[in-house]
């Protein structure tokens, strides 16, 4: 058991060091990373497609990377927005990691990108433990998933900077209790903002984009209680250096003023490292670059 715990701590410490490096590199070039987490079927892709389309119509340079166990379906859908999109197939891995992500961004991410949206693998367990160098972590839940979702997945909701409710157009049909949901979120993550959206009905259009832009421009970001209590430090000097080359043509020196002290506490409801004791070959994952007109792929 001690070896499992030690391994888990070592894996997460290295990830945090890589995330710290990636965050600094992105901030130096004026890019903010937005990490989107949700269960499968939450409507995350549909909502993200609308936000990317809106960003393009406003002339805001954005890009998206989406991760799945299999298929390029989400990348194809997101590419309809007309922005640069890349698909990463994780070959069974249930989450993205900072070093893996940095490898996929290197040489692909357009130099003028202001916002990079990461559509993480669809689950609320494994991805919750891994900082990706985000300026904003958003957790999404649909009205069909139940008001107790935040209580069932306290780590995911407890580390969120923003909570987004999706599919509000069918809230009445499924008897969604918004008041109870908000109360459960507040129990887990006091003070976090909860916004209501509907990709089909248009409710909340642009809210996610506006919050991401604000974070990128240095606006204060909600600091979850779980983060404030954490003693984990993002520091490559902890003996777990990140060796990814994240020098992304730092054309501008915008310091994104991110208040994401993302020292994630790792007392999750699962012994994650006990399940994944493998080392990922860099850069990790099977990547598909989906520009508005083309789709390409690569695998690690």
């Amino acid at each position: 058991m001690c070896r499992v715990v030690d391994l888990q701590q070592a894996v997460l410490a290295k990830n945090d060091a890589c995330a710290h490096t990636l965050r600094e590199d992105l901030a130096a070039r004026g890019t903010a990373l937005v990490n989107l987490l949700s269960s499968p079927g939450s409507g995350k892709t549909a909502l993200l497609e609308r936000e990317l389309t809106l960003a393009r119509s406003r002339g805001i340079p954005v890009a998206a990377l989406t991760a799945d166990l299999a298929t390029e379906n989400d990348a194809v859908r997101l590419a309809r927005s007309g922005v640069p999109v890349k698909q990463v197939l994780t070959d069974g891995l249930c989450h993205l990691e900072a070093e893996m992500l940095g490898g996929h961004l290197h040489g692909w991410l357009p130099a003028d990108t202001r916002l990079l949206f990461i559509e993480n693998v669809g689950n609320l367990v494994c991805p919750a433990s891994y900082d990706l160098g985000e300026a904003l972590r958003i957790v999404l839940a649909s009205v069909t998933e139940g008001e107790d979702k935040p209580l069932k997945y306290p780590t995911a909701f407890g580390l969120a900077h923003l909570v987004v409710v999706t599919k509000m157009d069918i809230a009445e049909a499924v008897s969604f209790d918004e008041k109870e949901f908000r109360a459960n979120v507040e129990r887990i993550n006091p003070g976090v903002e909860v916004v209501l959206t509907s990709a089909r009905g248009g409710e909340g259009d642009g809210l996610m984009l506006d919050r991401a832009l604000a974070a990128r421009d240095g606006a204060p970001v909600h600091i979850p209680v779980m983060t404030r209590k954490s003693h984990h430090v993002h520091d490559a000097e902890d003996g777990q250096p990140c060796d990814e080359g994240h020098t992304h043509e730092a054309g501008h020196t915008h310091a994104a003023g991110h208040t994401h002290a993302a020292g994630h506490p790792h007392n999750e409801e699962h012994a994650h490292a006990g399940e994944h004791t493998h080392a990922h070959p860099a850069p990790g994952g099977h990547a598909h670059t989906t520009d508005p007109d083309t789709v390409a792929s690569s695998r690690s």
Side-chain angles (χ1 to χ4, degrees):
M1 180 61 69
C2 290
R3 289 185 178 181
V4 171
V5 172
D6 289 345
L7 176 60
Q8 181 182 21
Q9 291 175 343
V11 169
L12 293 172
K14 181 175 182 180
N15 181 81
D16 285 352
C18 292
H20 176 68
T21 299
L22 182 56
R23 181 179 291 106
E24 289 190 332
D25 288 348
L26 290 172
R29 56 173 287 164
T31 303
L33 190 155
V34 182
N35 187 8
L36 305 179
L37 287 76
S38 80
S39 300
S42 68
K44 178 167 77 268
T45 305
L47 181 61
L48 180 55
E49 182 184 349
R50 287 184 70 100
E51 299 294 289
L52 295 176
T53 301
L54 180 60
R56 186 166 185 248
S57 71
R58 292 183 183 177
I60 302 168
V62 300
L65 181 147
T66 182
D68 277 306
L69 302 183
T71 83
E72 302 172 20
N73 296 348
D74 287 353
V76 171
R77 291 173 60 187
L78 294 179
R80 295 185 305 207
S81 66
V83 310
V85 173
K86 188 171 189 176
Q87 176 80 57
V88 172
L89 298 183
T90 64
D91 294 330
L93 187 64
C94 63
H95 62 278
L96 287 173
E97 297 179 7
E99 184 174 18
M100 176 196 308
L101 176 61
H104 287 301
L105 297 183
H106 186 63
W108 167 74
L109 188 65
D112 65 343
T113 303
R114 291 178 63 191
L115 293 175
L116 170 63
F117 288 91
I118 303 297
E119 185 179 15
N120 217 315
V121 180
N123 77 83
L124 288 174
V125 182
C126 309
S129 301
Y130 288 85
D131 180 11
L132 297 182
E134 62 260 27
L136 195 68
R137 176 179 287 214
I138 301 177
V139 174
L140 302 92
S142 74
V143 298
T144 61
E145 296 179 66
E147 295 80 2
D148 62 347
K149 201 77 171 184
L151 305 181
K152 289 184 174 180
Y153 299 93
T155 301
F157 283 89
L159 289 172
H161 301 123
L162 177 69
V163 174
V164 173
V165 180
T166 62
K167 304 185 182 181
M168 282 300 296
D169 54 299
I170 60 171
E172 184 176 354
V174 299
S175 301
F176 175 68
D177 189 331
E178 179 189 339
K179 184 177 180 180
E180 182 180 349
F181 179 84
R182 287 181 180 274
N184 289 335
V185 171
E186 185 68 14
R187 285 178 59 186
I188 300 300
N189 192 347
V192 70
E193 183 183 13
V194 177
V195 299
L196 309 178
T197 67
S198 168
R200 179 176 294 178
E203 182 174 355
D205 267 7
L207 284 176
M208 197 162 68
L209 177 62
D210 290 343
R211 301 302 187 273
L213 284 170
R216 183 263 181 196
D217 292 336
V221 174
H222 169 72
I223 302 178
V225 172
M226 281 190 181
T227 299
R228 293 197 295 265
K229 290 180 178 179
S230 172
H231 298 294
H232 215 55
V233 178
H234 293 290
D235 192 340
E237 296 178 359
D238 63 359
Q240 297 290 340
C242 177
D243 53 9
E244 278 299 333
H246 299 143
T247 52
H248 303 295
E249 305 171 1
H252 26 278
T253 58
H254 170 79
H258 304 143
T259 59
H260 174 69
H264 303 334
H266 304 302
N267 55 342
E268 274 76 357
E269 56 274 13
H270 64 290
H272 183 78
E275 300 169 6
H276 300 289
T277 57
H278 51 276
H280 304 297
H286 180 163
H288 300 243
T289 303
T290 310
D291 290 319
D293 301 315
T294 61
V295 179
S297 34
S298 65
R299 181 186 295 271
S300 72

